């Protein structure tokens, strides 16, 4: 059984800040910034893209509520809400989770860089990616 399934069913401990029948929110063991929280479904899905639609909608609505709550309680000035998908994107636990990472200022411990890329032909790319 995966580690987050074990946290969800209570068989291994975590500092939970919210729990209901479908989801759990608990403090990340490695606090990138104070209040760094993971929101997970209790049912196992490998990642965001594989999650059941209805459960995903429910979880994201709860993540918004919990995110607002964390902002209010910590006095954070900003927040990252992100979900890594597969090892190539840095996913280390293969159970869907959303990171809520409060930001206190641009120089705090969380650094995410969006590097400049080569100029692209956006018209061609948009055509290729059109849904
Ligand atoms: P990922 O790298 O998959 O996006 O994020 C996984 C996160 O889970 C990491 O930030 C890591 O610190 C956290 N994590 C891994 N194992 C445990 C654990 O046993 N308990 C808690 N609370 N967090 C964990
Ligand atoms: Zn799991």
């Amino acid at each position: 059984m995966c580690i987050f399934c074990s946290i969800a069913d209570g068989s291994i401990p975590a500092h939970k800040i919210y729990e209901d029948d479908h989801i759990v929110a608990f403090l990340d063991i490695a606090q990138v910034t104070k209040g760094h929280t993971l929101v997970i479904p209790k049912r196992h899905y490998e990642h965001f893209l594989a999650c059941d639609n209805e459960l995903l909608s429910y979880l994201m609505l709860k993540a918004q509520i919990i995110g607002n709550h964390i902002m209010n309680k910590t006095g954070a000035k900003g927040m990252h809400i992100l979900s890594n998908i597969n090892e190539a994107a840095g996913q280390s636990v293969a159970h869907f989770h959303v990171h809520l990472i409060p930001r206190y200022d641009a120089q705090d411990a969380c650094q995410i860089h969006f590097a400049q890329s080569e100029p692209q032909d956006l018209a061609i790319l948009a055509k290729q990616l059109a849904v």
Side-chain angles (χ1 to χ4, degrees):
M1 184 187 275
C2 99
I3 192 158
F4 285 1
C5 282
S6 300
I7 286 176
D9 73 14
S11 56
I12 72 165
H15 294 284
K16 296 179 181 176
I17 64 167
Y18 177 79
E19 180 168 16
D20 64 25
D21 288 346
H22 307 291
I23 68 156
V24 189
F26 56 95
L27 297 181
D28 194 298
I29 202 163
Q31 295 274 289
V32 173
T33 59
K34 190 180 80 178
H36 178 187
T37 295
L38 301 173
V39 187
I40 68 167
K42 286 190 167 176
R43 206 177 317 146
H44 182 94
Y45 292 95
E46 280 210 358
H47 51 61
F48 178 100
L49 295 178
C51 188
D52 169 81
N53 288 180
E54 203 178 321
L55 182 56
L56 177 63
S57 304
Y58 179 79
L59 183 144
M60 293 309 287
L61 284 173
K62 289 291 184 187
Q64 183 191 40
I65 292 167
I66 296 164
N68 275 310
H69 180 77
I70 292 169
M71 292 281 288
N72 291 335
K73 288 284 186 176
T74 59
K77 302 284 188 293
M79 178 170 278
H80 293 291
I81 298 178
L82 62 90
S83 191
N84 297 324
I85 294 162
N86 293 339
E87 273 179 29
Q91 185 177 11
S92 59
V93 179
H95 180 129
F96 169 39
H97 50 282
V98 172
H99 291 261
L100 304 178
I101 306 176
R103 293 302 304 269
Y104 296 90
D105 60 59
Q107 273 69 52
D108 66 18
C110 182
Q111 297 298 323
I112 295 177
H113 298 287
F114 290 93
Q116 291 290 328
S117 66
E118 294 298 312
Q120 308 243 351
D121 188 329
L122 296 183
I124 293 172
L125 193 56
K127 219 176 220 174
Q128 183 195 344
L129 300 181
V131 179

